Amino acid sequence: MGTSVKVTFWHNDEVQAKKIASAFFAEMERINQLMSPYIESSELYSINKNAGIKEVSIGEELYQLIELSIEIGNQTNGAFDITFASVGFLYNYRERINPNQESLLNNQALIDYRQIKLNPQKQSVLLTQEGMKIDLGGIAKGYAVDNAVALLQTLGVTSALVSAGGDTKALGKHGQRPWLLAIQDPRKKGKHAIQLPMEDEAISTSGDYERYFIKEGIRHHHIIDPKTGRSASEVQSVSIIGAKSVMTDALSTSVFVLGVKEGLALINQMPAYEALIIDKDRKLHFSNGLLAN
Ligand code: AMP
Ligand code: MG
């Protein structure tokens, strides 16, 4: 998943605990093998390879996640768009490469999640344009976290903290108290901007400090505004809190693209989700439900 995966949980039998931990990591790896855009045997790789050529029949799990991604695209007015990858692949953060004007223009028209055609009978996906690519980096980690917490529960665990990169879910309490989750200060590495108590809920943070480089004064990072093909620049960090990690993950990426005003408007009409935004001037903004507390 291109990120670190962690699990903390309580169990009174050490041998059993080790088995549970192995099952947890095996399940995370299974999802990685299914959804990675880099692994040639993944279903997702096959969809991208056949863009503009033919539809690809896939398993129910990936099909449903793509379907949900399209739905979130509609809910967020296109801020969440898994076809961002049609341009996204032109960035290489490690090598400090961003697309030049020409390749950006050539590929930008390929960003449009409405050009993904789903066929429920065949459970297949077609990317209608050649060169179009999808990437679930904005939602798959959250999905994997929900999935792993459900697995831990079936194995009898009642208290756990699971995280994959910026996506974390707390199951039950940490002893007598809620789990304590810290939100990173976007400009001071290792320093916390804020701490929140969590119990049976998920939190996802999207930040412009996770994967980025700065060139000629411009910060190029991994969250792409589908309208421009460039890194979204209105805010530094967005955290979303709510029941489902798959949703907090996708919504944190979406609100990052939407910015403070539109982002808060979106979250304020979703009663199950709350947002905490650090804008480009480091000012904090909260959704209505957090203000009320
Ligand atoms: P997160 O750190 O959860 O906000 O996810 C960032 C990841 O989401 C990136 O690394 C991309 O894989 C993906 N992504 C970037 N921009 C978008 C977008 N506009 N819509 C959907 N996914 C995106
Ligand atoms: Mg996200």
Side-chain angles (χ1 to χ4, degrees), residues 91-268:
Y91 288 85
N92 185 326
Y93 300 98
R94 211 170 288 164
E95 316 240 321
R96 303 173 55 84
I97 296 168
N98 57 298
N100 60 33
Q101 194 62 23
E102 195 191 337
S103 51
L104 192 66
L105 282 175
N106 285 340
N107 288 269
Q108 210 185 318
L110 299 172
I111 304 182
D112 183 1
Y113 68 96
R114 291 163 301 188
Q115 301 291 325
I116 305 171
K117 295 285 174 260
L118 296 182
N119 182 332
Q121 272 80 42
K122 292 185 184 165
Q123 205 169 274
S124 69
V125 182
L126 170 69
L127 305 182
T128 54
Q129 313 292 324
E130 198 188 324
M132 225 174 130
K133 291 184 201 309
I134 58 171
D135 184 316
L136 296 172
I139 192 168
K141 282 180 260 110
Y143 172 77
V145 166
D146 279 336
N147 203 56
V149 169
L151 172 73
L152 292 177
Q153 283 183 288
T154 65
L155 298 174
V157 175
T158 54
S159 165
L161 194 68
V162 170
S163 73
D167 304 298
T168 302
K169 194 173 192 176
L171 170 65
K173 286 186 198 255
H174 177 60
Q176 301 299 313
R177 302 195 189 138
W179 293 92
L180 208 52
L181 256 286
I183 296 175
Q184 164 77 35
D185 182 316
R187 292 295 177 267
K188 290 179 189 152
K189 213 174 176 181
K191 207 181 155 252
H192 300 156
I194 207 161
Q195 282 198 327
L196 298 167
M198 304 265 302
E199 186 180 338
D200 290 319
E201 56 192 344
I203 181 167
S204 293
T205 298
S206 293
D208 66 2
Y209 52 87
E210 284 169 39
R211 205 173 296 161
Y212 75 99
F213 59 91
I214 293 173
K215 204 159 135 184
E216 288 152 11
I218 295 171
R219 178 181 286 256
H220 299 280
H221 63 84
H222 68 316
I223 301 168
I224 305 295
D225 183 344
K227 289 205 182 95
T228 62
R230 297 176 195 280
S231 304
S233 57
E234 247 207 69
V235 306
Q236 296 181 351
S237 140
V238 174
S239 298
I240 305 286
I241 302 160
K244 281 189 181 179
S245 188
V246 69
M247 289 303 296
T248 58
D249 188 5
L251 289 171
S252 67
T253 311
S254 308
V255 170
F256 197 106
V257 171
L258 290 169
V260 177
K261 196 162 162 258
E262 280 183 63
L264 286 181
L266 173 74
I267 297 302
N268 283 334

